[in-house]
Structures are given as C-alpha cells and as structure tokens.
Amino acid sequence: MNLRMLLPVGALSLLAFSAAPALAHEHFYDVVLTGAGLSPSTATGTALVTLDLDLVTARVEATFAGLAGTTLGTQLHCCSVLAGSGTAMGAMANTSPAGFPLGAGSGSFDITYDLTDGATYSAAFITASGGMVVDGLNALINGAEAGTVYLSIGSSAFPDGEIRGFLVEQAAAAPEPGTSALMFAGGAALAAWARRHQQVARLRAPTLAA
C-alpha cells in the first residue's frame, strides 16, 4: 500500500483513482522487540505503532520485560538500507518523552508523536532527510511502508539500544467490490488529500538547523 501522500497538486487526479480501492487513513504496524542486531540481551517485548495520516501522528504502544539494565529511553529509527535489517539514525528528538518508564527493567508505555511538529524530530534526521520538517515526515512514513523503520529501547547495560524491532505493517482488509463503493472512496481520497495538503503547506515554511 502506497503511503506517499505528500504529492504536488498535479497528481491529485491520480491519487483519487489509485487510492479508491484501498483507502485507509490509519496504518498499523506490529513490532517484535529482541536483542537481535543490537545486543546479546535475552529481553523481549512487543509494540503496536499506528500512523494516523489524518491527525499526522505516530502512536507507539509497547510492553517489554527482562532487560539486562534499566531503561534510558526509546527511539524510532529511520531508515535502514535493507528492510528488516541493519541500523539507522534516531529520528526522534526526545528519547524519554512523557509516559516512558525510566529506570525500569520491565514495563509498558503509550506515546503519541506529533509528526507535524519540527521539535518531534532530531535535527540530524531532518538534515539527512532533506532539511525541512516535511522531508522528515515523508522519510518516516515511506520508511515505515518500506520496512526500514525500527523501534528501540535503550538501557543502562546497552545505552545505544538493548532491544529493537522493525515495523511490519498489518495486512489491510480487502475492499468491498462495487462501483458505488469505489466512487465513495475516490471522493474520500480527495477530501483526505486536501486536509493533508493544507497541513504540509504549513510545514514548508520553517526549517530546522543542523
């Protein structure tokens, strides 16, 4: 499913037709957290990451247990070269936002990131993505779609990350057949694009320093 929604006005008609069969404003990603690729830790965890393309947010709901150390922070990383493997830079500016349990060996958290806010992203990530907030937003959304974004939890034993897991998108439900359903979806796609276009237009003016 193509999440590259931040398109020029000239592509509007193409968006309406391509989005109609499988219109979705929320995309859900499963995450299995282990030490694989980061550390020899035997800790485990799971997470659900929800990208809401109307609100332009990323919600991370996670639980973890058995850390060798105690928690220092959490981070979304983007984007590795290959889907499901490799490492990438941290995309978030605040690695211990409100709701994250610091100093714990096990626990859970529920964090929602505002992806329209430049303060959400690390300056290095914005610079690497192209220099503007909208570039970071595009990179994160497209990276999630491509399977090159992962969630990590760092601890006192492994500050750079004790456990992590790549985002794996849940299968979308099959669309209902029928001409009327497609017409409705096309109209909804136009309305959704218009909302996103207004949000992105507001983002294009400011930039973040490296």
Side-chain angles (χ1 to χ4, degrees):
M1 184 179 296
N2 189 0
L3 298 187
R4 294 174 182 172
M5 298 296 187
L6 308 181
L7 303 175
V9 174
L12 179 57
S13 59
L14 292 177
L15 172 65
F17 286 106
S18 63
L23 181 68
H25 298 164
E26 288 186 320
H27 296 263
F28 302 95
Y29 300 85
D30 294 318
V31 181
V32 177
L33 297 164
T34 68
L38 281 185
S39 75
S41 176
T42 58
T44 58
T46 59
L48 173 66
V49 177
T50 304
L51 288 180
D52 189 316
L53 302 183
D54 277 338
L55 299 177
V56 197
T57 59
R59 182 181 182 185
V60 179
E61 303 167 84
T63 184
F64 61 93
L67 294 180
T70 56
T71 50
L72 294 178
T74 187
Q75 179 71 273
L76 285 170
H77 297 256
C78 182
C79 298
S80 63
V81 175
L82 299 175
S85 66
T87 59
M89 70 171 58
M92 304 291 101
N94 186 0
T95 59
S96 55
F100 181 76
L102 288 171
S106 62
S108 61
F109 56 91
D110 185 344
I111 299 168
T112 298
Y113 297 98
D114 179 358
L115 300 182
T116 68
D117 187 353
T120 295
Y121 306 95
S122 70
F125 176 66
I126 290 293
T127 299
S129 299
M132 300 179 68
V133 176
V134 69
D135 297 324
L137 170 61
N138 272 327
L140 194 63
I141 290 176
N142 293 330
E145 178 190 9
T148 58
V149 173
Y150 61 90
L151 173 71
S152 73
I153 297 176
S155 73
S156 56
F158 301 97
D160 293 331
E162 180 166 345
I163 55 175
R164 71 164 181 178
F166 280 85
L167 277 60
V168 177
E169 187 168 12
Q170 296 178 359
E176 292 292 332
T179 302
S180 60
L182 292 179
M183 290 177 62
F184 173 79
L190 289 171
W193 184 92
R195 289 192 298 271
R196 283 189 294 275
H197 181 68
Q198 290 174 346
Q199 292 166 331
V200 171
R202 291 194 296 270
L203 291 177
R204 288 189 179 276
T207 58
L208 290 181

